[in-house]
Each structure stands twice: as structure tokens, then as C-alpha cells.
């Protein structure tokens, strides 16, 4: 999700790019309606990943389900083994939304918005998941015991580069997302324009292609060749949404799809090692293409008539849902399967996790995000004031 997943809002009403060369058409609109459908797609992505972890992935099946889900829930198991493709949909939407949400913003605003969006719900999820794992006495997803040292390291969200075990295995996507923020922050620092966004798409695409053969670990880490095509395509789709279609933007989207379909075979091999059933490359590419098509259709305005307000709530709980669903949900399945049939067990777990995600959003994420934003804004204001005072003092001393 993991994914994940960023807040959606109206596109900003800042001035269009500075030069006419930056605009694909003279009348590019500065404001577009909220894309409610993207909120819904984020929830679909989270639910598909959840379905994969609950019904599709066989790790610990016998102990968790007290039987194999492909036999207990055969109707769901077949589609569920492709649920991991929800992560690709997350990354597509993330490229779109991050470009939209930081347009016209200063680097400090970009930094504050990402910290405020990512960390409050994440800290609560780490604490809640750790408590459940410690209460269960066993991690059903990783089969490793949590230690205070590991839990504290997870609070940084940098457990992947630190080499620490993740409290919940789903957190691996957060590091991919953070790397995207790091490289995209360079564009934000120079000022985000149509031209710079396009140049970024081209350069990051080239880095993803060259990284595997360059033999440079840092380049490979930043390039994220397996997932960068989704972010790049999402950015190009946002530019279509804001400025209109162009041959160049269509070329970026198609080129990204071509790279993604090739990289998909390596991702399939990773998931295939956990599944006794054969994963079809054709089916996986078809689902991936559908993901591209849905986000592209939203960018082109084909879903503008969808203005259901409840989709905003669905989008808001997607990130907390992704953060708490795997370890907590699997533990609940293990506890309930001794008392309920498979279908009711799954229904109760999904409903409980959805409610918990909504409560986490309302009780923890919203108030803590507001507090954190105010504190960070004040801190940056003081930093600016201190720099201005130091500069003024230096000028007077000349």
C-alpha cells in the first residue's frame, strides 16, 4: 500500500510554469477537481494486498489457518495469489499524487508534508503491531521474535537500510517510497515545473536501465529499477491531468509500461518461491496493464463524474490499513480459526482491521499529524529567522 499511499486533494492553484516552453498548451488549467476515484483505487490496492497475505501467500498456512486456504477458501485463493500487484498500483498513484501535492511548494513544505503524512500513523502501527506480536508470543509472518532494539529501530522507518527486521513485513514498501521522495526532492528543491518534471522522468528512467549494468550500489539503490517505472508513469499521468495530453507524455507512459512488463518477470520469480501454484506472466501483465489504464483514465478525466464523498474516507484509512493488516490480521486468523469456519473468520478479521484502521486514523493520525505539522513549521520558521539574523549580523560586521 504500501504502501503505500499519499493524501489526495485538489491540485494547487499556483501559477503555471514560468515560460511558455514549459507549457504543452497555452491554456493549461491551474485547478482541477478532486479525483475521488484515486481514493477508491488506493483502497482497492490495499485490499488486494491484504487478500494476498491472508488467503494467497502460503507462509505458515497450516499453523495460521489450521489447513490450507487453497482448500478452505478455493474461490478466493486463485485471484488472491495475484494480490501483490496492488503494490504496483500504489506506486502508480503515489507518483501521480506526490507530483500533485508538492507542486509550487518549497522544499521545507515538501519535507513537512511527507513527515506529517508518513510518521504519525506509522509510529502507532509499529506500537500496536509489536504489542500484538508480543502478546501472541510468535510472529506468524517472520517467525522471528521482536526485541526492543528492533522495535526502536523500526520507529525511524529506516530498518531496511539498517538491516533490521521489520516489525511487519509489509513495511518494505515504505523504503521504496522514501527513496522516491529523496530523488524527487531534488526537483522540488529547484522548483517543480512541467519541464523539470519531464526531465526527471527521463533521467530516472535512464538510471533504472543503466543501474543493473553500472555496478554502482548507490545508483542501484536510488534507481529502484523494479519499481521506478510506476512512479515515472504516475508523474507523467499527473502532467496529463494538469496540462493536457502530449506526444511526449504518452511516450513516457508507454515506455514506462514496456519497462514494467519486463521487470515484472523478476518480481514474479520472487513471489513464485512462496507459492506452489504457477503464477502466469500473462495474467500478471494483464492486471498491471489494468492498473495503468485505471490511473490513466482518471488523469484523462474519464472518472470526473465520480464524486462520492465516502471515497475520501476510504482513501484516508488506506495507509493505516496497509500498516496494520498483515501481522495483526494473520495473528487474528490463528486465534479465530479454532472457533469459526474459514469464511466467517476471514470476514471478521477484515472487518476488524478496517475498523482498527479507521480508529487509528481518527484517534491518532489526525490529531498527531496536526500537532507535528505545527511543531515542524515553527521549527523551520525559527531556523529561517536565525539564518536571517546571522546574515544581517554578518552584513553589519563588514
Amino acid at each position: 500500500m504500501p504502501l503505500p499511499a499519499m493524501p489526495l486533494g485538489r491540485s494547487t492553484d499556483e501559477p503555471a510554469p514560468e515560460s511558455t516552453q514549459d507549457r504543452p498548451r497555452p491554456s493549461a488549467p491551474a485547478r482541477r477537481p478532486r479525483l475521488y476515484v484515486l481514493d477508491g483505487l488506493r483502497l482497492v490496492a490495499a485490499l488486494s494486498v491484504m487478500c494476498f497475505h491472508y488467503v494467497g501467500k502460503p507462509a505458515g498456512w497450516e499453523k495460521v489457518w489450521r489447513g490450507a486456504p487453497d482448500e478452505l477458501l478455493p474461490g478466493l485463493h486463485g485471484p488472491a495469489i495475484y494480490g501483490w500487484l496492488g503494490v504496483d498500483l500504489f506506486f502508480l498513484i503515489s507518483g501521480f499524487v506526490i507530483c500533485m501535492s508538492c507542486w509550487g511548494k518549497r522544499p521545507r513544505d515538501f519535507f513537512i508534508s511527507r513527515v506529517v503524512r508518513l510518521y504519525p500513523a506509522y509510529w502507532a502501527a509499529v506500537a500496536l503491531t509489536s504489542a500484538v506480536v508480543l502478546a501472541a508470543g510468535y510472529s506468524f509472518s517472520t517467525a522471528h521474535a521482536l526485541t526492543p532494539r528492533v522495535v526502536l529501530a523500526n520507529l525511524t522507518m529506516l530498518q531496511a537500510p539498517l538491516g533490521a527486521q521489520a516489525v511487519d513485513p509489509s513495511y518494505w514498501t515504505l523504503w521504496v517510497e522514501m527513496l522516491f521522495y529523496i530523488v524527487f526532492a531534488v526537483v522540488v528543491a529547484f522548483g517543480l515545473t512541467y519541464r523539470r518534471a519531464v526531465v526527471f522522468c527521463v533521467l530516472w528512467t535512464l538510471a533504472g536501465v543503466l543501474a543493473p549494468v553500472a555496478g554502482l550500489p548507490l545508483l542501484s539503490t536510488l534507481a529502484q529499477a523494479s519499481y521506478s517505472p510506476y512512479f515515472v508513469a504516475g508523474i507523467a499521468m499527473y502532467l496529463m491531468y494538469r496540462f493536457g495530453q502530449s506526444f511526449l507524455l504518452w511516450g513516457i507512459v508507454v515506455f514506462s509500461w514496456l519497462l514494467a512488463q519486463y521487470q515484472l518477470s523478476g518480481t514474479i520469480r520472487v513471489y513464485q518461491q512462496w507459492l506452489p501454484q504457477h503464477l502466469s506472466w500473462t495474467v500478471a501483465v494483464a492486471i498491471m496493464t489494468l492498473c495503468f489504464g485505471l490511473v490513466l483514465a482518471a488523469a484523462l478525466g474519464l472518472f470526473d463524474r465520480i464524486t462520492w464523498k465516502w471515497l475520501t474516507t476510504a482513501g484516508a484509512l488506506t495507509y493505516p490499513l496497509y500498516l496494520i493488516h498483515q501481522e495483526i490480521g494473520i495473528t487474528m486468523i490463528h486465534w479465530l480459526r479454532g472457533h469459526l469456519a474459514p469464511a466467517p473468520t476471514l470476514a471478521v478479521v477484515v472487518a476488524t482491521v478496517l475498523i482498527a484502521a479507521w480508529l487509528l486514523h481518527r484517534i491518532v493520525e489526525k490529531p498527531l499529524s496536526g500537532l507535528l505539522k505545527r511543531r515542524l513549521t515553527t521549527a523551520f520558521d525559527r531556523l529561517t529567522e536565525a539564518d536571517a539574523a546571522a546574515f544581517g549580523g554578518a552584513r553589519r560586521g563588514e
Side-chain angles (χ1 to χ4, degrees):
M1 149 227 64
L3 284 302
M6 296 299 104
L8 296 176
R10 293 182 182 274
S11 55
T12 54
D13 54 2
E14 298 80 14
E18 302 103 2
S19 70
T20 56
Q21 292 180 340
D22 282 334
R23 295 195 296 267
R25 63 184 190 186
S27 59
R31 181 180 290 275
R32 294 291 303 273
R34 179 186 179 92
L35 288 175
Y36 288 92
V37 71
L38 289 187
D39 289 307
L41 288 176
R42 287 167 56 200
L43 182 60
V44 169
L47 292 175
S48 68
V49 174
M50 178 192 294
C51 195
F52 172 69
H53 289 144
Y54 290 175
V55 186
K57 188 178 177 181
W61 267 359
E62 297 298 330
K63 186 169 185 179
V64 172
W65 276 99
R66 305 172 192 271
D70 57 340
E71 298 174 0
L72 299 175
L73 298 165
L76 286 176
H77 175 73
I81 63 176
Y82 293 96
W84 49 272
L85 284 158
V87 171
D88 299 339
L89 179 55
F90 269 133
F91 291 156
L92 271 169
I93 297 173
S94 183
F96 188 108
V97 175
I98 294 305
C99 193
M100 176 172 64
S101 63
C102 69
W103 200 278
K105 291 186 178 180
R106 298 168 295 177
R108 58 172 278 182
D109 299 324
F110 177 67
F111 174 81
I112 292 173
S113 69
R114 294 308 91 207
V115 171
V116 166
R117 178 57 179 137
L118 291 182
Y119 277 96
Y122 175 74
W123 288 330
V126 169
L128 182 59
T129 302
S130 300
V132 170
V133 171
L134 292 175
Y138 185 82
S139 172
F140 290 97
S141 296
T142 64
H144 294 295
L146 292 179
T147 64
R149 176 171 174 262
V150 168
V151 174
L152 292 174
N154 271 253
L155 294 176
T156 67
M157 205 182 286
L158 298 175
Q159 61 273 7
L162 288 174
Q165 170 198 341
V167 168
D168 188 302
S170 296
Y171 295 170
W172 71 267
T173 60
L174 300 178
W175 176 235
V176 177
E177 193 84 24
M178 190 172 291
L179 286 169
F180 168 51
Y181 298 157
I182 291 171
V183 294
F184 197 67
V186 177
V187 186
V188 176
F190 283 97
L192 188 54
T193 65
Y194 177 88
R195 176 184 295 176
R196 288 168 182 159
V198 169
V199 170
F200 171 81
C201 290
V202 173
L203 292 180
W204 202 24
T205 297
L206 287 175
V209 173
L210 297 176
V213 296
L216 300 173
L218 180 59
L219 178 61
S220 297
T221 298
L222 294 175
Q224 291 292 307
S226 296
Y227 302 107
S228 60
Y230 301 102
F231 293 108
V232 168
I235 293 171
M237 290 176 192
Y238 171 70
L239 295 177
M240 287 184 181
Y241 170 73
R242 185 179 178 93
F243 298 104
Q245 303 176 55
S246 73
F247 183 78
L248 178 61
L249 295 179
W250 273 104
I252 292 174
V253 171
V254 172
F255 201 82
S256 297
W257 181 90
L258 292 172
L259 292 176
Q261 63 83 30
Y262 183 80
Q263 298 286 1
L264 196 60
S265 59
T267 308
I268 288 175
R269 285 194 295 270
V270 172
Y271 286 102
Q272 187 66 77
Q273 64 184 334
W274 299 327
L275 295 166
Q277 296 81 6
H278 172 68
L279 284 173
S280 167
W281 177 87
T282 303
V283 173
V285 169
I287 296 173
M288 183 202 73
T289 303
L290 177 62
C291 294
F292 268 74
L294 288 172
V295 180
L296 183 60
L300 298 180
L302 300 184
F303 296 133
D304 283 355
R305 292 181 179 273
I306 298 178
T307 57
W308 306 325
K309 302 299 182 182
W310 63 267
L311 288 174
T312 304
T313 303
L317 64 82
T318 298
Y319 182 51
L321 174 65
Y322 183 83
L323 291 174
I324 66 174
H325 81 275
Q326 184 171 353
E327 191 69 65
I328 293 174
I330 290 175
T331 302
M332 289 180 61
I333 291 172
H334 173 71
W335 288 343
L336 290 174
R337 263 302 285 136
H339 309 283
L340 296 175
T345 295
L346 184 63
V348 170
V349 170
V350 170
T352 302
V353 174
L354 283 169
I355 293 171
W358 183 81
L359 290 173
L360 191 153
H361 168 67
R362 294 290 298 181
I363 298 174
V364 178
E365 184 179 25
K366 288 190 71 174
L368 187 56
S369 294
L371 175 62
L372 187 58
K373 182 176 182 179
R374 290 191 296 272
R375 294 296 178 86
L376 285 174
T377 300
T378 300
F380 273 100
D381 288 342
R382 290 177 178 174
L383 180 63
T384 302
E385 293 169 0
D387 285 345
F391 178 76
R395 290 292 299 270
R396 288 191 295 271
E398 290 178 352

